[in-house]
Amino acid sequence: MKFDFNLPVNLLFGNGRTAEAGAVVSSWGKKALLVTGGNSARKSGLLDRVQEQLRLSGVESLVFDKVTPNPTTTIAYAGAKKAEENGCDVVVAVGGGSIIDCAKAVAFIVKNDGDIMDYIFGLRSGTQALPLIAIPTTCGTGSEGNGFAVLTNPSNGDKKSLRCNAIIPKTSIIDPECMMTMPKELLASVGYDALCHNMEGYISVIGQPITEMYAREGMRLIAEHLLPIYGGDNAPEHWEAITWASTLGGMVINCAGVGLPHGMEHPASGLKNISHGKGLAALTPVVLEESIPYAPKKYGIIARILGGEDEHTLVSALKNFQKKLGLDITLADLGFDESDVDWMTENCLKVSVGSIATHPMPADREKIREIYIKSLAGI
């Protein structure tokens, strides 16, 4: 057995740990750009609390609150410009996965010239970024535990990850209490994304013993604890479980990558700016139905985690889980029709080469197109 595992991220996990933000950030800089969205962190009071903690620790801060779901390169450049013009030496992300991804891009752009898409497509490489501290408020992307930053180029709809160890957060403060203000629909979407990270990383052809162990635990925690929260049970152990599962998923995909469901969803949300979790819910059952013969043993394990019996019951078990989360949806439900399929197919082959390669089922143009067509109606 031979494998490599390198993930230099410092995780501070537990209820109430956002109170440590000032001490953490002050060890990395004296002037922070707080990257967030327009409403959530302000409404909950978290942003104000973080700013006050920074002030008490001698850190000056200013806010960049322009981040939207599926963040664009344009937004990232605007954040980097604000950081540079104000002499910021540390970036703090306060929010969900889109916000953390955008903050990573901001930290990277400040230290690397040229078009960030050149780095995303591997035409250039960068090894530096401003130090980044992540304070996640959603339990889905796991961005606090990896070196990925997903961005969309608004000029052509390309949605793809910047992958670089320099943007792994120096410290991620993972406080389950920060998750508890999520609307029910958002909880379902991000929780499903976390499940997909763990599932896709688990069956990845470049997975290894550590990622498989993390992924099994992540799937188990989501299967046992997401539905109770969705149903209104806010017991702390449920929130701790799904928050940790999300971080595990982020760590898994940093090393094992994502597979075809993510590879095919990125063109969909790049084209129509849909919810990432909903896009995954529309595509994943069809992808799995096609893929089971290529990794039956692992898919059988996933099926049993989700309440099924073997690989042959995986899709029905997953669909049942989705239905309970209000995610029994199709691409047509999300506004797609057959006229979108050719563009998504070609874009998938352009932006998702890595995700196609790590998936156990070979997928050429014809197979990808076939899955998009089937996903319009669902199974």
Side-chain angles (χ1 to χ4, degrees), residues 331-377:
L331 284 183
D333 294 332
L334 297 175
F336 294 88
D337 58 41
E338 197 162 338
S339 66
D340 299 313
V341 168
D342 286 341
W343 185 92
M344 290 192 294
T345 299
E346 296 306 315
N347 191 252
C348 181
L349 293 166
K350 175 184 179 183
V351 305
S352 300
V353 174
S355 301
I356 295 170
T358 58
H359 195 76
M361 177 187 70
D364 57 12
R365 178 178 283 101
E366 182 179 348
K367 175 59 69 175
I368 291 168
R369 190 178 192 282
E370 176 189 341
I371 291 172
Y372 277 131
I373 292 289
K374 286 185 177 180
S375 298
L376 287 171

Side-chain angles (χ1 to χ4, degrees), residues 139 182-191 226 229-230 239 242:
C139 43
M182 279 189 292
K184 189 174 180 178
E185 183 178 2
L186 177 60
L187 169 67
S189 181
V190 299
L226 180 57
I229 297 175
Y230 187 78
W239 284 104
I242 62 167

Side-chain angles (χ1 to χ4, degrees), residues 191-204 211-227 241-242 244-249 252 288 297-307 314 318 321:
Y192 192 80
D193 186 19
L195 176 65
C196 288
H197 287 159
N198 283 289
M199 288 195 299
E200 293 173 43
Y202 183 60
I203 55 91
S204 168
T211 59
E212 290 181 7
M213 176 179 67
Y214 286 178
R216 284 194 300 268
E217 179 66 359
M219 290 185 287
R220 182 189 70 80
L221 291 171
I222 292 168
E224 291 183 12
H225 296 277
L226 180 57
L227 289 176
I242 62 167
W244 179 229
S246 172
T247 300
L248 284 171
V252 166
L288 295 192
K297 183 177 179 180
K298 284 189 173 181
Y299 280 126
I301 291 171
I302 296 173
R304 286 188 284 276
I305 290 172
L306 293 174
L314 171 59
L318 180 63
F321 188 74

Side-chain angles (χ1 to χ4, degrees), residues 25-216:
V25 175
S26 64
S27 68
W28 291 101
K30 294 300 179 185
K31 191 168 187 180
L33 181 72
L34 296 180
V35 178
T36 191
N39 295 306
S40 180
R42 288 188 187 277
K43 188 175 181 180
S44 69
L46 176 61
L47 185 65
D48 288 340
R49 294 197 302 273
V50 171
Q51 280 195 286
E52 177 64 9
Q53 290 154 13
L54 297 189
R55 186 188 68 79
L56 293 173
S57 296
V59 179
E60 185 181 350
S61 65
L62 62 156
V63 175
F64 178 73
D65 60 1
K66 306 301 181 184
V67 185
T68 59
N70 297 315
T72 64
T73 54
T74 304
I75 293 172
Y77 276 116
K81 181 179 180 182
K82 186 165 186 175
E84 289 179 300
E85 289 179 346
N86 290 277
C88 296
D89 55 5
V90 60
V91 177
V92 181
V94 184
S98 292
I99 288 164
I100 298 174
D101 282 2
C102 189
K104 289 175 174 178
V106 167
F108 185 85
I109 291 168
V110 171
K111 290 290 187 177
N112 298 275
D113 60 6
D115 188 343
I116 194 170
M117 295 305 295
D118 288 342
Y119 296 93
I120 288 174
F121 277 95
L123 302 176
R124 301 182 66 179
S125 61
T127 59
Q128 297 184 35
L130 288 179
L132 170 72
I133 310 302
I135 305 175
T137 62
T138 62
C139 43
T141 70
S143 189
E144 68 276 3
N146 63 40
F148 293 0
V150 183
L151 297 174
T152 300
N153 182 347
S155 67
N156 60 12
D158 286 353
K159 182 179 180 182
K160 188 172 172 62
S161 295
L162 172 68
R163 302 187 179 196
C164 174
N165 279 350
I167 60 173
I168 295 174
K170 299 301 183 184
T171 298
S172 290
I173 303 173
I174 307 165
D175 186 341
E177 291 180 353
C178 294
M179 317 292 167
M180 298 177 71
T181 58
M182 279 189 292
K184 189 174 180 178
E185 183 178 2
L186 177 60
L187 169 67
S189 181
V190 299
Y192 192 80
D193 186 19
L195 176 65
C196 288
H197 287 159
N198 283 289
M199 288 195 299
E200 293 173 43
Y202 183 60
I203 55 91
S204 168
V205 300
I206 61 170
Q208 34 122 312
I210 296 176
T211 59
E212 290 181 7
M213 176 179 67
Y214 286 178
R216 284 194 300 268

